[in-house]
Amino acid sequence: MRFYTHCQYCKAELTGRTDKKFCDVQCKSAYQYQQAKIQPERFYNKVDNQLKLNRKILKEFNKGGKVTLRADLLKEKGFNPNFFTHYWKNQKGEVYLFVYEYGFRKIEENHKNKYLLIQWQSYMEQPKSL
């Protein structure tokens, strides 16, 4: 008794084993790819994608090593300050959040929200992981 009579991907008639679901490896791979696209994005992928985007944005705007930018400019590009890899606290007690080697700290200048962007330096101690 055959469980499937047609390939689950291309609908071609199946021959061979009774528990066969696909006519060949390409159909099996294509079907699995199609199913993965239908399923919602996994949590790990969402976090990883946001970290990559944050790093790209910080790298794009921080050409000089230390830059101050308006917060809304970063958010327009898709920056989310809730996603970071580690932090560093300076001697003044100010905490910088880092996305890999690019850091940021929220500040207020002239009643406007801004971010101070920095780059990881050798004098900074080892990063404190979360």
Side-chain angles (χ1 to χ4, degrees), residues 5-99:
T5 57
H6 294 88
C7 174
Q8 287 190 350
Y9 184 71
C10 71
K11 308 302 181 208
E13 192 169 339
L14 296 174
T15 58
R17 292 180 17 201
T18 58
D19 61 344
K20 194 172 182 180
K21 294 181 182 180
F22 304 98
C23 56
D24 58 23
V25 178
Q26 288 80 14
C27 280
K28 181 178 180 180
S29 179
Y31 178 81
Q32 289 172 340
Y33 178 75
Q34 182 183 48
Q35 293 302 309
K37 283 179 64 174
I38 294 170
Q39 294 174 354
E41 192 175 18
R42 293 187 185 128
F43 176 75
Y44 170 80
N45 292 346
K46 286 181 184 179
V47 171
D48 192 45
N49 290 339
Q50 186 63 53
L51 285 172
K52 287 176 184 175
L53 179 61
N54 280 359
R55 183 188 179 279
K56 178 182 170 189
I57 293 167
L58 292 174
K59 181 180 180 182
E60 178 183 333
F61 285 106
N62 192 0
K63 301 282 186 201
K66 185 175 182 182
V67 179
T68 304
L69 289 172
R70 293 186 333 265
D72 57 341
L73 182 63
L74 290 177
K75 290 191 181 192
E76 283 174 13
K77 296 279 189 174
F79 181 77
N80 185 338
N82 297 322
F83 290 83
F84 55 92
T85 56
H86 61 280
Y87 68 92
W88 174 71
K89 187 186 264 189
N90 65 13
Q91 293 175 344
K92 297 177 187 175
E94 300 165 334
V95 176
Y96 288 85
L97 304 176
F98 276 82
V99 181

Side-chain angles (χ1 to χ4, degrees), residues 69 78 85 108 112 119:
L69 289 172
T85 56
E108 191 174 312
K112 293 181 182 174
Q119 207 166 352

Side-chain angles (χ1 to χ4, degrees), residues 105-121:
R105 183 172 69 88
K106 193 170 188 174
I107 59 173
E108 191 174 312
E109 242 179 43
N110 301 325
H111 304 292
K112 293 181 182 174
N113 289 327
K114 296 185 177 186
Y115 283 105
L116 178 60
L117 308 182
I118 64 171
Q119 207 166 352
W120 187 260
Q121 302 294 320

